[in-house]
Amino acid sequence: MQKPKVYKFNAASFDTLTGFYTALYRVIPFLPDYKPAYNLDALHDVLYSGFGKHPVVLIWKHAHKSRQDLGIQTTRDFYQIKIDIGKPYNIQWANKKITALENGKGETLFEILLDLFSDHKNIKLILN
């Protein structure tokens, strides 16, 4: 069995979703010409690409900080930006997401990221 490669990124170096992508993408090996986009769909694609094809361990240092930084307010702001922009975003969907957050039933960006990683069987995410 192939020993998994270990990659680490540190939440002490960021406090936004953009910062998360920057920190994570710094440690993930990419083809030289490939520049991934900074959104959840692109991250999902990255995890299904070469990075997630073989077993890896991804250590998220200071994840407790990200839990707070990518929490309710940041998530609400994330959806509000989509509402403010309008098309091509689904405003009704974004409003439902905000309502769910306000009612304590919605997922924060941090939780969404955890769910996204859990979909990938070859990636073991360790919150440190």
Side-chain angles (χ1 to χ4, degrees):
M1 180 173 221
Q2 184 179 6
K3 184 177 177 181
K5 290 188 178 183
V6 177
Y7 300 91
K8 299 176 186 178
F9 70 106
N10 192 338
S13 69
F14 64 87
D15 58 6
T16 65
L17 187 58
T18 299
F20 164 82
Y21 293 125
T22 301
L24 179 62
Y25 291 167
R26 268 193 204 123
V27 301
I28 293 177
F30 292 112
L31 295 173
D33 294 344
Y34 184 71
K35 301 279 189 251
Y38 282 38
N39 62 60
L40 294 168
D41 290 334
L43 175 59
H44 187 66
D45 292 345
V46 164
L47 299 179
Y48 266 119
S49 71
F51 182 73
K53 285 187 180 179
H54 303 287
V56 297
V57 174
L58 186 59
I59 300 172
W60 188 340
K61 295 177 80 174
H62 298 101
H64 63 279
K65 179 181 176 300
S66 291
R67 184 180 300 275
Q68 188 169 356
D69 291 340
L70 304 175
I72 292 172
Q73 187 57 52
T74 302
T75 306
R76 189 184 187 298
D77 295 345
F78 173 80
Y79 292 122
Q80 188 61 52
I81 288 169
K82 294 180 179 329
I83 292 166
D84 293 345
I85 291 172
K87 289 184 179 185
Y89 297 109
N90 183 331
I91 295 169
Q92 190 175 33
W93 169 83
N95 274 317
K96 286 180 182 179
K97 294 291 188 178
I98 289 174
T99 300
L101 273 174
E102 290 171 346
N103 291 331
K105 296 178 182 175
E107 285 187 306
T108 64
L109 286 169
F110 182 79
E111 294 163 334
I112 291 167
L113 290 168
L114 294 183
D115 286 348
L116 197 143
F117 282 107
S118 72
D119 287 343
H120 300 276
K121 65 179 179 161
N122 286 328
I123 300 172
K124 179 179 181 181
L125 180 65
I126 297 174
L127 304 180
N128 193 313

